[in-house]
Amino acid sequence: MSVELNPVNEVKTDTAAQPPIRKRVFSGIQPTGNIHLGNYLGAIRNWVAEQTHYDNIFCIVDLHAITLPIDPKELRTNTRQMAAILLASGLDTRHCNLFIQSHIHEHAEMSWILNCFTPMGWLNRMTQFKTKAGENLDSVGTGLYCYPVLMACDILLYQTHYVPVGDDQRQHLELTRDLAQRFNSMYKKRVFTIPEGQIREVGARVMSLDDPTKKMSKSDPNPFSRINLLDSPKEIKQKIARATTDSEKLITFDPERPGIYNLLGIYQLLTGQSQQESEDAFAGKGYGDFKAALTEVVVETLRPIQQRYNELLSDRAMLDNILKESADTVRPIAAKTLQTVKDVIGLG
Ligand code: ATP
Ligand code: LTN
């Protein structure tokens, strides 16, 4: 029996305005706290903007979050907070599904299976592992090493077509595609859909405010390196005021000047202007004017998100219900793919 390319078609009922079968999108985000403007511009905002175009599945990847030490209480809190932030940013569960990874046990089970099919050489090449393990190569858990395989399982379980992520996930996506192709060709069946990354050119790499040669990151120990989505207007003002620039005066997109390039990029993305329009807005002006304008744009973008976030978090039962409904909706897709994999390799 050959396996269908896209075994479970639709999660949501299509409306008349949409083509009958939409392509499936899957993406994930770790509930590790400190969610920042890079996550918003590189990932979340794109998920929201395109949520009506696709059959979307978004996942809060708590199994990934335990690949580095994390306090249990903090993990549980972060997971709900992440759900609230995503919904407050505009994800609408009438158009997409949003669930917690550990609520669908197929992810962990598939992960064991695909670990057995992943050459160590492939994982040895993963740069994120090297960065995150740092000096602790002998003491980090093997989960951190196998992290990309779990990510591949997330994607492949749902027969995903597109994976919208930031630039830092490029290598993990390649591994996912390689793994799917290898498995399909080993068993001469199209068990997995081969996914494609959706990495937007603009916003895919928002840089750190204090060191604009590094990406803005949740795990950077310096809080002044990022603007968190839940920062107060005062914190935003302070962080932008301290952001690294240079001694030149022009407010232009000059890649040789990474500080202003990054800040102007954030301004451009949040205002929806072209590069030229953003440069024109500050012609003849200095950093003071520019930073004040950027502060205002960031504060005004985050204000409604923060307001809605607080409302959502105050109704924990409703939030849990949304997450459960989504998990119940998508679980059969994952179960079907896992069963196919087990059948093909002879388990059971
Ligand atoms: P960490 O830096 O601690 O690994 P993170 O900030 O990369 O965490 P994730 O949960 O791993 O956060 O990423 C969530 C999404 O945000 C992913 O799609 C990722 O590609 C994107 N993303 C993360 N950082 C940036 C950034 N600086 N610019 C653009 N997109 C980003
Ligand atoms: N590794 C990703 C998070 C992630 C993900 C996924 C993204 C886990 N599973 C599946 C896309 C699809 C990260 O750290 N940003």
Side-chain angles (χ1 to χ4, degrees):
M1 185 197 82
S2 85
V3 177
E4 298 161 59
L5 182 61
N6 193 6
V8 179
N9 286 327
E10 284 303 280
V11 180
K12 301 279 178 194
T13 315
D14 282 298
T15 65
Q18 283 153 342
I21 295 188
R22 285 169 296 163
K23 298 276 189 186
R24 180 161 295 143
V25 158
F26 184 100
S27 199
I29 189 159
Q30 296 191 70
T32 37
N34 288 334
I35 181 158
H36 54 74
L37 215 48
N39 300 133
Y40 181 71
L41 293 172
I44 301 169
R45 202 172 80 135
N46 301 327
W47 302 355
V48 172
E50 302 197 342
Q51 64 183 325
T52 55
H53 305 181
Y54 300 106
D55 173 6
N56 302 283
I57 305 178
F58 298 118
C59 181
I60 301 171
V61 292
D62 54 351
L63 296 171
H64 280 102
I66 60 167
T67 55
L68 285 172
I70 183 161
D71 173 72
K73 238 169 105 188
E74 203 178 307
L75 176 58
R76 203 164 286 122
T77 307
N78 286 346
T79 301
R80 263 65 199 183
Q81 285 182 346
M82 179 59 81
I85 288 183
L86 294 175
L87 295 169
S89 301
L91 281 190
D92 180 341
T93 49
R94 284 172 303 180
H95 303 301
C96 66
N97 288 286
L98 173 66
F99 74 99
I100 299 175
Q101 189 184 30
S102 63
H103 290 186
I104 299 189
H105 66 74
E106 281 80 359
H107 290 249
E109 197 173 343
M110 181 74 108
S111 187
W112 173 254
I113 295 174
L114 286 197
N115 274 332
C116 299
F117 286 83
T118 309
M120 297 229 333
W122 291 9
L123 293 181
N124 289 341
R125 285 200 286 275
M126 296 294 114
T127 54
Q128 186 170 297
F129 171 72
K130 289 177 199 152
T131 314
K132 291 203 171 182
E135 314 257 281
N136 311 315
L137 262 188
D138 287 339
S139 58
V140 292
T142 46
L144 188 66
Y145 184 68
C146 301
Y147 177 117
V149 181
L150 178 59
M151 174 164 164
C153 294
D154 297 340
I155 297 167
L156 299 178
L157 274 171
Y158 298 95
Q159 306 294 340
T160 301
H161 297 100
Y162 300 125
V163 187
V165 279
D167 185 63
D168 58 330
Q169 297 303 309
R170 209 178 274 280
Q171 201 183 27
H172 290 163
L173 281 181
E174 266 324 298
L175 182 127
T176 303
R177 287 167 56 84
D178 290 347
L179 206 45
Q181 267 151 356
R182 179 182 159 91
F183 193 97
N184 287 354
S185 66
M186 269 174 94
Y187 293 98
K188 301 189 175 48
K189 287 179 194 291
R190 298 183 85 177
V191 175
F192 298 123
T193 301
I194 311 298
E196 279 174 42
Q198 273 185 336
I199 302 176
R200 301 269 173 273
E201 244 169 62
V202 270
R205 205 165 171 79
V206 176
M207 308 309 275
S208 154
L209 299 184
D210 72 320
D211 177 357
T213 60
K214 292 191 317 201
K215 82 165 187 120
M216 189 177 281
S217 160
K218 286 176 182 162
S219 44
D220 192 316
N222 178 5
F224 282 91
S225 66
R226 65 181 160 262
I227 295 174
N228 289 338
L229 298 192
L230 298 178
D231 279 348
S232 68
K234 190 172 162 208
E235 287 168 313
I236 294 168
K237 187 171 177 209
Q238 283 171 343
K239 289 179 176 180
I240 292 178
R242 273 180 60 160
T244 302
T245 46
D246 53 38
S247 54
E248 287 183 45
K249 290 207 171 57
L250 292 180
I251 312 289
T252 53
F253 279 100
D254 179 355
E256 301 293 315
R257 298 165 59 211
I260 187 63
Y261 188 89
N262 185 42
L263 295 178
L264 201 51
I266 294 173
Y267 178 87
Q268 184 213 339
L269 283 166
L270 292 179
T271 54
Q273 296 178 345
S274 66
Q275 284 203 352
Q276 190 61 53
E277 284 166 338
S278 295
E279 287 184 348
D280 289 350
F282 299 102
K285 296 188 179 159
Y287 283 131
D289 288 326
F290 169 66
K291 285 190 167 182
L294 178 61
T295 303
E296 191 182 334
V297 169
V298 174
V299 168
E300 291 314 318
T301 304
L302 298 187
R303 193 189 301 282
I305 296 178
Q306 295 179 356
Q307 211 167 355
R308 176 111 183 88
Y309 166 82
N310 288 323
E311 289 161 14
L312 283 160
L313 258 198
S314 66
D315 192 346
R316 165 90 191 245
M318 186 203 49
L319 201 56
D320 282 350
N321 199 37
I322 290 176
L323 295 167
K324 181 180 182 308
E325 269 188 14
S326 279
D328 291 346
T329 305
V330 300
R331 191 175 288 108
I333 312 172
K336 184 164 182 179
T337 304
L338 179 63
Q339 192 54 53
T340 306
V341 167
K342 286 175 154 181
D343 291 345
V344 158
I345 64 181
L347 289 177

